Amino acid sequence: MNLLKNKKKFALIFFCVVIVWGVTVYGDKLFLKKQPKALVEINSAQFKVEIAQTSSTRYQGLSDRQELAKNSGMLFIFEDYQVRNFIMRNMNFPLDIVRIKDNLVIHCSKNMPILAQNGNFSRITSKSAVNHVLELNAGICEEFNIQPGDSVDIQYLK
């Protein structure tokens, strides 16, 4: 009987260790299906976007993805206003990067290449402090005439 109790105790401890290890190693990836989403509207164009609001989802961004649906993207939400630096690390396609302060477009970097001329990943720095950055497929800013001063409406989805 003692042996059976020890096996159950060992199995329970092992299970708990595996769960803690999984959450530690994989973090947000375990909960990818529950990643928050929003509907972003600029100039009557609507984009269904994933929200990156934790340090790990911001770091990962759209890296390693093979493609992005036309009217989708990723919205980076920050709690403060700062000049933001973005890098095209491990990207497989170019992007338009829209910097937003509150509910106004501040700047749109169009058709950001994956690699810079020096062969390193492209980097982009906002020209002023912003609290949101929106990544969309390259060509979207041109197609929908997204420019500084345009109003941005963000509706959070459940």
Side-chain angles (χ1 to χ4, degrees), residues 3-86:
L3 185 59
L4 184 59
K5 282 185 179 178
N6 286 340
K7 283 184 179 181
K8 285 183 179 179
K9 209 182 272 187
F10 175 78
L12 180 61
I13 291 170
F14 179 77
F15 178 74
C16 290
V17 167
V18 168
I19 294 298
V20 169
W21 173 81
V23 169
T24 302
V25 172
Y26 293 100
D28 292 332
K29 292 181 182 179
L30 288 176
F31 307 102
L32 198 54
K33 292 182 180 176
K34 295 188 180 217
Q35 187 162 342
K37 296 195 181 342
L39 191 62
V40 177
E41 186 173 338
I42 307 172
N43 293 343
S44 300
Q46 292 186 339
F47 308 99
K48 189 171 184 181
V49 299
E50 295 175 46
I51 298 175
Q53 61 187 10
T54 65
S55 58
S56 60
T57 57
R58 287 184 201 129
Y59 180 82
Q60 178 64 31
L62 293 171
S63 297
D64 300 318
R65 304 233 182 145
Q66 294 305 309
E67 60 185 11
L68 183 63
K70 181 179 179 183
N71 287 344
S72 63
M74 183 166 279
L75 179 65
F76 295 77
I77 299 176
F78 302 95
E79 297 168 3
D80 59 356
Y81 299 87
Q82 289 186 29
V83 170
R84 305 288 174 192
N85 298 298
F86 276 70

Side-chain angles (χ1 to χ4, degrees), residues 64-147:
D64 300 318
R65 304 233 182 145
Q66 294 305 309
E67 60 185 11
L68 183 63
K70 181 179 179 183
N71 287 344
S72 63
M74 183 166 279
L75 179 65
F76 295 77
I77 299 176
F78 302 95
E79 297 168 3
D80 59 356
Y81 299 87
Q82 289 186 29
V83 170
R84 305 288 174 192
N85 298 298
F86 276 70
I87 184 170
M88 298 288 284
R89 179 184 5 84
N90 298 331
M91 287 299 301
N92 293 307
F93 47 89
L95 294 172
D96 283 355
I97 301 177
V98 182
R99 267 90 69 209
I100 302 165
K101 183 174 182 181
D102 298 324
N103 290 50
L104 287 177
V105 172
I106 299 300
H107 189 262
C108 184
S109 296
K110 299 176 184 177
N111 201 22
M112 286 300 303
I114 298 165
L115 298 176
Q117 290 180 344
N118 63 7
N120 294 329
F121 293 122
S122 291
R123 296 175 182 267
I124 186 71
T125 301
S126 60
K127 295 179 180 183
S128 62
V130 297
N131 61 328
H132 295 88
V133 175
L134 177 63
E135 292 184 341
L136 303 166
N137 276 310
I140 295 292
C141 285
E142 190 74 35
E143 180 178 343
F144 293 103
N145 196 30
I146 297 173
Q147 300 180 38

